[in-house]
């Protein structure tokens, strides 16, 4: 097998025997074959559109299917085989339609006629179609950028898919995705063409995050700073994890008269900031556990049912596999996958399970964190922020955002936040914050020193805050007293990084390790252009950011 799409990749050199995430070579093979089928479907979809044939079904299917191939989303081989068959069916239907409108027989490239030999093992067939085959150009730097493009594309479609669930779509995102999938093995592109394509992924990902922000805020209101209890309260309970705010809302609706208390886990913590969710559902109570890599411990202890709406799912232990449910793009063999009707999941089986489990027997002593410092909330206090900056009360902003992971060198982020001087503000987003999200950093002039902007997709919000500051202070974004110190794990973080580079943001520090798929030459090129750099030590990086 070959996979190096996440930071956890084996020995920093790619997973070749078995995925460090738990993905088997068999599942990896069907994912590779699915991506190959999606590339063929994309070529046909582009041709179909040229004939004014609607490709709506294919467009959304490609996003959904690519989303499923991301790290820690879906480990269910059968689901990938089903998706592959769906891709081939959609492709053949579109081909027929193209043929019907043409007066000459269409000659399709080989990739548009591909179908695996279902009677043979798919492992070898998967390897034959894996991304390693792109290396045929023989240039490792171009291969690195081809991987950057496809991995970034996966992150982008995951956001586009979540936005589409809430009715926000931009066909240009789908068309770009299909064109890029179709072009992935182009041999006429030079190194800088691939760099530009990677930046284009960042541009379209910005659009996808913007759509998702609009989808969330138009449906559930602009997030407001909201305290979230971290102490469990007595009673039966259900835990919901992932990023899908629409599914969180549906779960709240379906549990409202059951007596269950709803807790968020992982990237759903910022869900508490949405006024229409908080106000309408008093049983939407608190947050349980920390980042995804601690779930085997957290889920085992949770005395209720658990629903995973997106990544990050780890292979479940048998101590809790009977109480965990998957929905949407997520899957794991043996776990119950909840059906979706008319876009709304049926949480019935998970609710029944939660009602059969004991729940929390006591209420723990109060403990809380505050979330909801998204762009609207921060910009409503913009005057206070600007005045504090001008008066020298706020010396610097640190955006410490991104994903968490299991490696010990991620302690860097906790130490950095602990060492940030008292006259500086820390903005955070995504699941990396769970290492420090409950720290009491105090206030500056009534503003909290630690503000949670939201999920990884709320990088959009952080960008809006930076743009707002730059306008109010009359400075370019790169001149602001703002440093971005990011942690990455999976492909959404790659998409977000490409967005920041597309916007021309310089001096980003990235860790805990640099992506295995980037060659030294490609990294040097990005460093030269954007001063992108790896993290070093908290002390040295803080000193460099503060110019001291
Ligand atoms: Fe984390 Fe997982 Fe949000 Fe990722 S829960 S690691 S970048 O899926 O998406 O931050
Ligand atoms: Fe390895 Fe990450 Fe791929 Fe899993 S997703 S197989 S850990 S590189």
């Amino acid at each position: 097998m070959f996979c190096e799409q996440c930071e956890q990749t084996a020995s920093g050199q790619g997973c070749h025997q078995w995925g460090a995430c738990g993905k088997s070579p068999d599942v990896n093979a069907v994912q590779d074959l699915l991506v190959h089928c999606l590339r063929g479907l994309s070529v046909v979809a582009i041709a179909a559109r040229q004939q004014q044939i609607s490709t709506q079904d294919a467009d959304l299917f490609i996003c959904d299917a690519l989303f499923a191939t991301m790290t820690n989303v879906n480990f269910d081989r059968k689901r990938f085989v089903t998706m592959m068959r769906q891709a081939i069916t959609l492709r053949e239907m579109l081909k027929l339609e193209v043929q019907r409108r043409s007066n000459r027989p269409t000659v399709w490239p080989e990739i548009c006629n591909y179908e695996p030999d279902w009677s043979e093992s798919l492992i070898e067939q998967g390897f034959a179609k894996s991304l390693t085959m792109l290396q045929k150009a023989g240039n490792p730097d171009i291969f690195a950028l081809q991987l950057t493009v496809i991995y970034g594309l996966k992150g982008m479609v995951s956001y586009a898919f979540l936005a589409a669930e809430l009715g926000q779509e931009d066909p240009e995102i789908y068309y770009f995705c299909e064109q890029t999938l179709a072009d992935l093995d182009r041999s006429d592109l030079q190194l800088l063409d691939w760099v530009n394509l990677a930046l284009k992924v960042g541009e379209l990902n910005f659009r996808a995050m913007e759509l998702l922000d609009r989808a969330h805020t138009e449906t559930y209101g602009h997030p407001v700073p909201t305290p979230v209890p971290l102490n469990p309260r007595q009673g039966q309970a259900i835990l919901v994890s992932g990023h899908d705010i629409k599914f969180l809302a549906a779960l709240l609706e379906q549990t409202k008269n059951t007596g269950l208390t709803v807790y968020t886990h992982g990237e759903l913590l910022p869900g508490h900031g949405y006024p229409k969710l908080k106000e309408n559902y008093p049983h939407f109570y608190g947050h349980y556990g920390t980042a995804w890599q601690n779930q085997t411990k957290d889920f085992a202890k949770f005395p209720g049912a658990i629903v995973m709406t997106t990544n990050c799912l780890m292979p479940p232990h048998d101590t809790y596999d009977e109480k965990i449910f998957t929905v949407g793009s997520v899957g794991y063999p043996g776990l119950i996958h909840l059906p979706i009707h008319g876009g709304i999941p049926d949480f019935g089986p998970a609710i029944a399970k939660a009602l059969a489990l004991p729940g929390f027997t006591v209420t723990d002593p109060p403990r809380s964190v505050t979330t909801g410092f998204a762009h609207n909330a921060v910009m409503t206090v913009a005057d206070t922020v600007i005045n504090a900056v001008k008066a020298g009360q706020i010396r610097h902003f640190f955006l410490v955002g991104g994903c968490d992971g299991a490696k010990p060198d991620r302690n860097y982020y906790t130490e950095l936040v602990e060492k940030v001087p008292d006259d500086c503000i820390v903005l955070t987003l995504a699941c990396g914050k769970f290492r420090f999200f409950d720290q009491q950093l105090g206030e500056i002039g009534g503003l909290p020193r630690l503000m949670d902007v939201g999920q990884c997709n709320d990088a959009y919000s952080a960008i809006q805050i930076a743009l707002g500051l730059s306008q109010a202070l009359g400075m370019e974004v790169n001149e602001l007293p703002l440093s971005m110190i990011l942690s990455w794990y999976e492909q959404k973080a790659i998409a977000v990084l490409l967005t920041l580079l597309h916007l021309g943001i310089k001096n980003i520090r990235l860790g805990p390790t640099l992506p295995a798929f980037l060659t030294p030459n490609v990294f040097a090129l990005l460093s030269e252009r954007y001063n992108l750099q790896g993290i070093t030590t908290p002390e040295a990086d803080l000193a460099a950011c503060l110019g001291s």
Side-chain angles (χ1 to χ4, degrees), residues 292-304:
W292 66 269
Q293 76 280 359
N294 299 325
Q295 71 189 245
T296 49
K297 185 168 52 75
D298 291 336
F299 288 0
K301 279 197 289 187
F302 188 76

Side-chain angles (χ1 to χ4, degrees), residues 243 267 292 311-312 402-404 430-431 456 489-490 492-493:
H243 301 73
E267 280 275 73
W292 66 269
N311 41 349
C312 281
C403 328
D404 208 350
C431 63
C456 48
Y489 173 62
E490 45 89 351
K492 285 184 266 185

